[in-house]
Amino acid sequence: MADRAIGSGAPDKPGVATASAYACEAMQAELSALRQALGRELCAIPPPVPACDVHFNRLLEDRARVVDELQTLARLRASQPGCEQVLAFCRASRVLDVSAKSRIATLLLDGAACRAQQV
């Protein structure tokens, strides 16, 4: 079941490509949710007040980092990566928290094809 691509409606096909695609979709969902949350928070900030611009600028920087990672993930997905590349991207993420990284790594490492590739 962990090898099934999210939303594909396709039957389970064990394999590195499917596990990698599933993990990429999970990362994209995490990053997209984070981008949306940052956008909502940015919209909720009142007009500039002295000493509050620091918070606004930090949110803009955070959003830019999330967008950069989404673009990098899109390029990675286009190259049809194996488990090792997806896992490396996940571990190197500057935006995903430890919990998200752990869930995504589990998706990859639970797949029999990925375990075989790691041996």
Side-chain angles (χ1 to χ4, degrees):
M1 186 73 149
D3 285 346
R4 186 177 180 150
I6 295 174
S8 71
D12 290 350
K13 294 182 197 173
V16 173
T18 307
S20 296
Y22 185 76
C24 284
E25 284 192 35
M27 277 190 285
Q28 183 171 350
E30 291 278 347
L31 292 169
S32 293
L34 185 55
R35 182 183 62 191
Q36 290 173 352
L38 287 166
R40 284 190 300 274
E41 194 170 347
L42 281 165
C43 289
I45 292 179
V49 176
C52 291
D53 286 342
V54 173
H55 179 66
F56 181 79
N57 290 337
R58 173 59 192 237
L59 291 172
L60 286 176
E61 291 169 7
D62 290 347
R63 184 178 66 180
R65 272 194 289 281
V66 171
V67 169
D68 286 345
E69 285 209 10
L70 280 165
Q71 291 171 346
T72 303
L73 179 60
R75 287 191 299 274
L76 178 68
R77 291 181 78 177
S79 71
Q80 299 180 345
C83 292
E84 290 177 9
Q85 292 105 336
V86 175
L87 191 56
F89 176 86
C90 178
R91 288 179 175 158
S93 174
R94 298 178 310 152
V95 188
L96 295 172
D97 63 21
V98 173
S99 175
K101 288 180 179 185
S102 178
R103 283 191 310 273
I104 292 161
T106 299
L107 289 174
L108 285 165
L109 298 175
D110 276 354
C114 290
R115 281 196 306 270
Q117 189 183 46
Q118 300 252 330
V119 172

